[in-house]
Amino acid sequence: MRREKIVHLLKSDAPKEKIILSGWVRTKRDSSDFSFIEVNDGSCLSNIQVIADSDIANYEEVKKITTGSAVTIIGRLVASPGKGQKWEVQAAEVEVVSLTPETYPLQKKRHTDEYLRTIAHLRPRTNKYGATFRIRSEISYAIHKFYRDRGFRYIHTPILTGSDCEGAGELFRVTALDLEAVPKIDGKPDFENDFFGKEANLTVSGQLSAEMFALALGDVYTFGPTFRAENSNTRRHVAEFWMVEPEMAFCDLIGNMDIAEEFIQYLVEYALSECKEDIELFAKFVDKKLMNRLESILESGFVRLPYTEAVAILEKAKHQFEYEVSFGRDLQSEHEQYLTDRHFKKPVIVHDYPKSIKPFYMRANDDGKTVAAMDVLVPGIGEIIGGSQREERLDILESRMDDTGINREEYWWYLDSRKYGSAPHSGFGLGFERFLMLVTGITNIRDVVPFPRTPNNIEF
């Protein structure tokens, strides 16, 4: 017999004469004649209650079971006379797979998030983090389903790259050089003798590669890890994070905004439908306003707001901002959340930003001042998507590269795509962890990442 998962046992339509389940003990209570053992196997939020009578051959061993111990139970699935659970298990055999010592750090029911980050290898065993990472798994599947159902092709873009998509320079360098004896020319590392013959980095985005495939396969997307060497300890930043990046041929900025809005609403609806029990945990214990916020995202269209109008609203706001608001400055988190949480009380798509604050690949608008960029802002989070219509005109793209100090020779392949069959196309990037923060109400990005990578933290 195969072991059965608790999520399926709890949904059973009828009793079962013989079942096998395995999991970890959450709690245990003993009496002279029997023991109540609460077991969880990670398949769902709920535990299942196991009744082990004293006539079990190894009952004395059963009485020694501790919180956190791994067990395998053979027995019968029977109706539970107690409240709150339809089924329980009457054990015929209890195998103690592994006995956990009393030093097990999850003895208490409540621990701070800060403490649990120090034991990230154990925190998935708690209700909160078990739920978090089940949701992360389900939303990952939903992302692939959304794009596959719409005819997109999944592209595996490189993690090692020689380009800097954003031009920000906050990159992790990858090298095979001997760091004890780095060859140098004029005092600088000689990367011509490195593995790739030039500087190599961990990617900050799969966008540029995905653009090449969009101009061949039509609609594509990439979903994978990205890296930024930003020495930041804010609740919104980690060094390793995941991005969802679709690229769509023959698509303008309006079409880009349409698919971004549809995508967010689809994922929220999927979370509420397929992760109901886990989402309810967060609505009850983490964020009392969570359900209202998620339902409001589904109820009406997103506000579409030109950047110039967004600045005007913020300049007139009777609110003391830490950062100044004026045309030509990027919006800060506090500005984004004012627009979504206080002014409109719903998601907002800000579009047509000044070209001076945006990367070279964004399509220049006819006004000569702005580019066809857009950011999707959601309540409680701020920016969750950033994207644009891409510049498909070779001469203007070359001019933008010159203006922003981008070396054309290093991007010859990117310019080639504008020479041979260029077409209007658009795309965006969704920060996967920020979306998880949205649907759970968790306020620190480190708590939706299994093993967060932050400054001075790469232990696990």
Side-chain angles (χ1 to χ4, degrees):
M1 287 181 63
R2 288 186 177 181
R3 72 179 181 94
E4 296 191 53
K5 294 189 175 181
I6 290 173
V7 66
H8 299 137
L9 291 174
L10 294 177
K11 294 178 180 178
S12 179
D13 294 328
K16 296 186 176 185
E17 281 303 309
K18 189 172 184 180
I19 59 101
I20 299 176
L21 71 91
S22 297
W24 296 270
V25 175
R26 287 293 178 86
T27 63
K28 183 176 71 72
R29 292 182 290 116
D30 296 318
S31 71
S32 58
D33 296 326
F34 54 85
S35 295
F36 289 110
I37 309 171
E38 293 282 332
V39 179
N40 187 283
D41 66 0
S43 63
C44 63
L45 180 64
S46 299
N47 307 326
I48 196 164
Q49 181 172 268
V50 176
I51 314 298
D53 292 330
S54 58
D55 57 3
I56 287 177
N58 63 336
Y59 187 64
E60 289 304 313
E61 184 183 15
V62 170
K63 290 173 70 174
K64 296 177 182 178
I65 290 174
T66 53
T67 299
S69 295
V71 296
T72 291
I73 311 293
I74 299 175
R76 296 185 302 127
L77 185 71
V78 299
S80 175
K83 292 183 179 180
Q85 188 163 285
K86 183 179 179 181
W87 304 108
E88 65 184 26
V89 174
Q90 186 70 48
E93 299 177 39
V94 177
E95 178 190 353
V96 181
V97 177
S98 174
L99 194 64
T100 296
E102 294 294 341
T103 54
Y104 182 56
L106 297 178
Q107 298 284 355
K108 296 179 181 179
K109 288 190 176 181
R110 291 289 183 92
H111 295 281
T112 65
D113 292 327
E114 290 78 8
Y115 170 70
L116 290 172
R117 284 178 211 137
T118 69
I119 53 170
H121 58 302
L122 295 176
R123 66 178 181 170
R125 295 192 191 184
T126 66
N127 283 341
K128 177 179 179 180
Y129 288 97
T132 298
F133 298 119
R134 279 190 296 272
I135 292 171
R136 185 179 177 113
S137 174
E138 287 297 316
I139 299 304
S140 296
Y141 169 77
I143 287 165
H144 289 296
K145 180 172 171 54
F146 176 86
Y147 287 111
R148 191 177 191 279
D149 288 350
R150 286 157 182 77
F152 282 66
R153 299 300 182 183
Y154 180 33
I155 306 300
H156 299 130
T157 52
I159 290 176
L160 295 173
T161 178
S163 64
D164 176 4
C165 178
E166 299 293 336
E170 297 165 337
L171 302 169
F172 285 104
R173 184 167 294 164
V174 178
T175 181
L177 294 174
D178 180 359
L179 298 183
E180 298 296 326
V182 177
K184 294 184 178 181
I185 297 177
D186 297 330
K188 296 182 179 180
D190 178 15
F191 288 108
E192 289 187 4
N193 287 310
D194 205 348
F195 187 90
F196 294 107
K198 61 179 292 187
E199 287 190 52
N201 311 290
L202 295 179
T203 184
V204 298
S205 170
Q207 174 202 318
L208 302 188
S209 300
E211 281 189 57
M212 304 302 98
F213 274 78
L215 293 172
L217 302 185
D219 294 337
V220 303
Y221 73 104
T222 182
F223 177 27
T226 53
F227 308 84
R228 192 178 291 275
E230 184 175 5
N231 191 9
S232 173
N233 279 293
T234 75
R235 66 181 182 86
R236 290 158 50 96
H237 295 93
V238 283
E240 178 182 340
F241 52 98
W242 281 59
M243 292 287 289
V244 185
E245 297 177 287
E247 289 290 330
M248 298 154 285
F250 306 103
C251 177
D252 61 11
L253 183 64
I254 293 174
N256 204 24
M257 290 191 283
D258 289 344
I259 198 73
E261 180 173 341
E262 183 184 356
F263 185 41
I264 293 292
Q265 290 183 322
Y266 176 90
L267 293 183
V268 169
E269 187 171 23
Y270 189 94
L272 291 173
S273 172
E274 301 301 322
C275 309
K276 187 173 184 293
E277 183 184 37
D278 288 328
I279 294 291
E280 287 174 350
L281 173 78
F282 292 101
K284 184 176 181 180
F285 294 108
V286 175
D287 185 349
K288 302 290 187 183
K289 298 179 180 179
L290 178 62
M291 296 305 291
N292 287 339
R293 189 160 60 247
L294 295 180
E295 288 167 1
S296 71
I297 289 173
L298 302 178
E299 287 172 358
S300 59
F302 296 5
V303 174
R304 298 191 180 186
L305 185 71
Y307 167 88
T308 51
E309 293 182 24
V311 169
I313 290 170
L314 293 166
E315 287 177 331
K316 294 176 183 177
K318 295 179 180 179
H319 182 83
Q320 187 65 43
F321 293 114
E322 180 180 354
Y323 294 94
E324 183 181 345
V325 181
S326 63
F327 186 90
R329 293 176 181 264
D330 211 352
L331 301 183
Q332 301 296 317
S333 177
E334 59 176 340
H335 306 141
E336 295 166 351
Q337 292 193 39
Y338 178 85
L339 293 171
T340 57
D341 294 35
R342 299 187 61 176
H343 189 82
F344 291 106
K345 296 182 172 59
K346 62 191 306 187
V348 177
I349 304 179
V350 179
H351 58 89
D352 294 322
Y353 281 79
K355 67 179 183 179
S356 59
I357 59 174
K358 290 299 182 181
F360 71 92
Y361 54 76
M362 295 187 174
R363 193 181 200 276
N365 289 327
D366 293 340
D367 61 13
K369 298 179 180 179
T370 63
V371 290
M374 62 99 174
D375 288 339
V376 179
L377 319 178
V378 292
I381 301 295
E383 181 190 343
I384 197 169
I385 280 178
S388 70
Q389 183 172 342
R390 315 310 190 188
E391 183 56 78
E392 85 280 9
R393 298 163 295 185
L394 178 62
D395 57 335
I396 297 177
L397 179 60
E398 289 177 331
S399 177
R400 285 283 289 148
M401 293 175 84
D402 293 342
D403 291 343
T404 54
I406 301 294
N407 186 337
R408 289 197 212 173
E409 291 183 3
E410 292 185 3
Y411 290 83
W412 64 268
W413 52 275
Y414 191 73
L415 293 171
D416 261 11
S417 69
R418 272 56 174 181
K419 293 179 184 177
Y420 308 125
S422 183
H425 60 287
S426 299
F428 61 79
L430 173 135
F432 183 45
E433 283 80 12
R434 289 194 182 180
F435 179 82
L436 294 172
M437 293 169 69
L438 171 67
V439 295
T440 61
I442 289 174
T443 57
N444 194 312
I445 193 171
R446 294 177 173 129
D447 297 329
V448 295
V449 178
F451 298 102
R453 299 293 181 242
T454 53
N456 300 313
N457 180 28
I458 195 170
E459 184 171 1
F460 301 101

